[in-house]
Amino acid sequence: MASTAQVNSFLSAAAELEPKEFVTSFPSSFGLLGRSIIIDLPCFRHTTYIMLDHVYIRSVAVGVEFPVLETLSLLHCNGNLEALLSCCPRLCTLLLSGILFDTCDLRVNSPSLQELVVNPFSTEHVNIVAPMLKKMEILLTVMLEVNISVLAPIMENVWWYCCYTEESIVFGPWYLELLGLQVADRQGQLPLLHIRASVDSSLFPYEPNFAQEIEKHMVVDFSLLELDLKTDGHVLGALVFYLLQIDQISSSLRKLKIILLRSVVKEECPTDCPCESTNWRSQAISLTALEEVEINGFEGVDHEFDLLKKLLVFAPKLKKIIVRLTQEVSSSNTRRTKIYNVFETYGSAECFVYLSSGLIDDIQNQPST
């Protein structure tokens, strides 16, 4: 097992060689603190790339600097990241994987940073100040809730996902599982806000906190909302309308995609079920920017038709709507005909209905049964 003195002596000798790139990796079994080798980083004055694996960065001495360092990669490391970044005035790329910092917070403050990759990281606080940041890829895991502050005004590429490991962010019986943002500097690809939620009918009726949590993650603008909803036979309209009333969603949403995920065994939804927690059927909503709606897994039950009607009514600029049917509805001419009747009655958008086979429906050319 390597001693602290031996490791730091090795680092000092390496720094004296003034390498352009420096890579060091220690097996986890060598560690003296948990799983990490304890190190005191010396000054690498001419090094542009540093990669450290399984180390604990105990300290960065006063006067130590990495004046030309452009890329820093830390794998399975811990220590004081803020102190280290303050010594890297020209850092462009920061890669963090399997990291555990002293504060268990993700704090990145760098005036020169252009690319940040963090995968994965468990935290309750995110604070990023990087005015030159253009690309950000972050995967977070959160138990209860997370506090987020991001100052990066010129970001062009964003991949941001947060996985919730507890049923702590709720709306009625719904709980938040995953929230993501995807923004790519590519023509034709809409900036995406992705939300995945499931139902647990045994949840105690806590005060709804879905909206407050989602708003924290809106670190960039988006125009496509994708909802992955595992309904288990419950009504989804109240949740969808609750989300669509969030100011930043209702004002900028151009495309709405709803994916209905079905379980093999459906629950019975009682008349007083909290999934009908609001009078959403009588609510008005303004979706002035919405141009396209897609619903996958449409089952043709009454509450799904109610949601479809309201989307058609409250989206005056709606140009296109796509409905993809489950196998059960695909075999029912009556319910398929009802879909077209809703289209004709409530909207003027171009409408497409797809069977479970993937073929486009031609029910309009067939007699109803």
Side-chain angles (χ1 to χ4, degrees):
M1 181 180 292
S3 68
T4 300
Q6 289 173 326
V7 171
N8 285 314
S9 176
F10 160 74
L11 291 173
S12 297
E16 290 177 3
L17 296 175
E18 299 185 347
K20 188 173 181 62
E21 298 184 358
F22 178 70
V23 176
T24 183
S25 177
F26 297 97
S28 60
S29 59
F30 282 12
L32 298 177
L33 183 69
R35 289 188 160 190
S36 301
I37 291 289
I38 303 172
I39 66 170
D40 300 314
L41 272 178
C43 185
F44 284 83
R45 292 197 174 276
H46 296 87
T47 304
T48 60
Y49 175 89
I50 291 178
M51 191 276 279
L52 303 175
D53 188 2
H54 281 102
V55 300
Y56 178 88
I57 305 169
R58 179 170 57 185
S59 67
V60 180
V62 176
V64 168
E65 195 173 61
F66 309 93
V68 298
L69 184 64
E70 297 177 354
T71 301
L72 175 62
S73 180
L74 302 177
L75 312 177
H76 309 100
C77 297
N78 48 20
N80 191 333
L81 179 65
E82 291 180 273
L84 180 56
L85 293 182
S86 67
C87 304
C88 308
R90 296 188 182 180
L91 189 66
C92 294
T93 302
L94 177 62
L95 304 147
L96 307 173
S97 180
I99 301 296
L100 178 63
F101 301 129
D102 288 345
T103 60
C104 293
D105 297 343
L106 178 59
R107 299 184 183 275
V108 175
N109 189 332
S110 172
S112 60
L113 194 65
Q114 298 181 27
E115 180 178 0
L116 173 63
V117 178
V118 182
N119 182 21
F121 191 81
S122 179
T123 186
E124 296 179 0
H125 300 275
V126 176
N127 188 297
I128 298 172
V129 179
M132 301 303 294
L133 192 65
K134 295 182 180 179
K135 182 178 181 180
M136 179 171 68
E137 296 182 12
I138 294 183
L139 174 59
L140 304 173
T141 59
V142 175
M143 289 185 62
L144 299 176
E145 59 182 26
V146 61
N147 295 313
I148 298 170
S149 175
V150 176
L151 178 59
I154 64 171
M155 284 190 297
E156 299 171 347
N157 290 273
V158 177
W159 190 93
W160 169 292
Y161 272 85
C162 182
C163 302
Y164 289 83
T165 59
E166 302 289 336
E167 297 177 358
S168 57
I169 309 302
V170 298
F171 174 77
W174 295 90
Y175 64 92
L176 183 63
E177 288 188 292
L178 180 144
L179 191 148
L181 280 165
Q182 292 185 36
V183 177
D185 188 22
R186 291 196 293 269
Q187 189 173 6
Q189 185 168 338
L190 295 178
L192 164 69
L193 173 64
H194 182 198
I195 297 172
R196 181 187 299 161
S198 293
V199 166
D200 183 348
S201 55
S202 66
L203 279 177
F204 188 81
Y206 295 106
E207 185 72 21
N209 57 356
F210 243 74
Q212 300 94 308
E213 189 70 13
I214 291 169
E215 287 172 334
K216 298 175 186 177
H217 292 269
M218 295 181 184
V219 298
V220 289
D221 294 332
F222 58 90
S223 53
L224 165 60
L225 173 62
E226 181 176 311
L227 301 177
D228 292 358
L229 305 178
K230 187 175 180 181
T231 65
D232 286 344
H234 290 267
V235 176
L236 64 138
L239 173 66
V240 173
F241 263 67
Y242 171 77
L243 296 175
L244 293 179
Q245 289 174 16
I246 297 174
D247 288 342
Q248 197 168 336
I249 292 178
S250 62
S251 62
S252 60
L253 188 63
R254 289 174 52 196
K255 180 177 179 180
L256 172 64
K257 184 175 182 179
I258 302 175
I259 301 174
L260 304 179
L261 308 172
R262 314 290 182 178
S263 59
V264 177
V265 180
K266 293 182 182 178
E267 294 184 10
E268 284 292 329
C269 187
T271 55
D272 59 346
C273 182
C275 67
E276 290 275 27
S277 57
T278 66
N279 58 340
W280 65 274
R281 288 180 175 85
S282 61
Q283 291 177 348
I285 190 170
S286 179
L287 300 170
T288 55
L290 186 60
E291 298 177 353
E292 183 176 339
V293 171
E294 180 176 343
I295 303 176
N296 293 350
F298 193 84
E299 215 169 25
V301 292
D302 287 344
H303 70 85
E304 291 179 349
F305 278 110
D306 293 339
L307 175 62
L308 185 60
K309 294 172 187 176
K310 293 185 74 64
L311 290 173
L312 289 165
V313 168
F314 292 112
K317 294 183 180 179
L318 192 64
K319 299 176 181 177
K320 181 179 181 181
I321 184 163
I322 298 171
V323 176
R324 301 184 188 275
L325 308 178
T326 63
Q327 185 174 357
E328 183 180 358
V329 184
S330 296
S331 60
S332 170
N333 284 3
T334 301
R335 278 189 278 183
R336 288 154 59 197
T337 299
K338 185 177 178 179
I339 294 173
Y340 285 103
N341 291 339
V342 169
F343 289 159
E344 293 175 1
T345 304
Y346 291 92
S348 58
E350 191 176 13
C351 303
F352 300 88
V353 178
Y354 290 86
L355 305 177
S356 58
S357 63
L359 298 175
I360 195 164
D361 190 13
D362 60 352
I363 187 67
Q364 289 179 308
N365 299 320
Q366 300 177 16
S368 60
T369 59

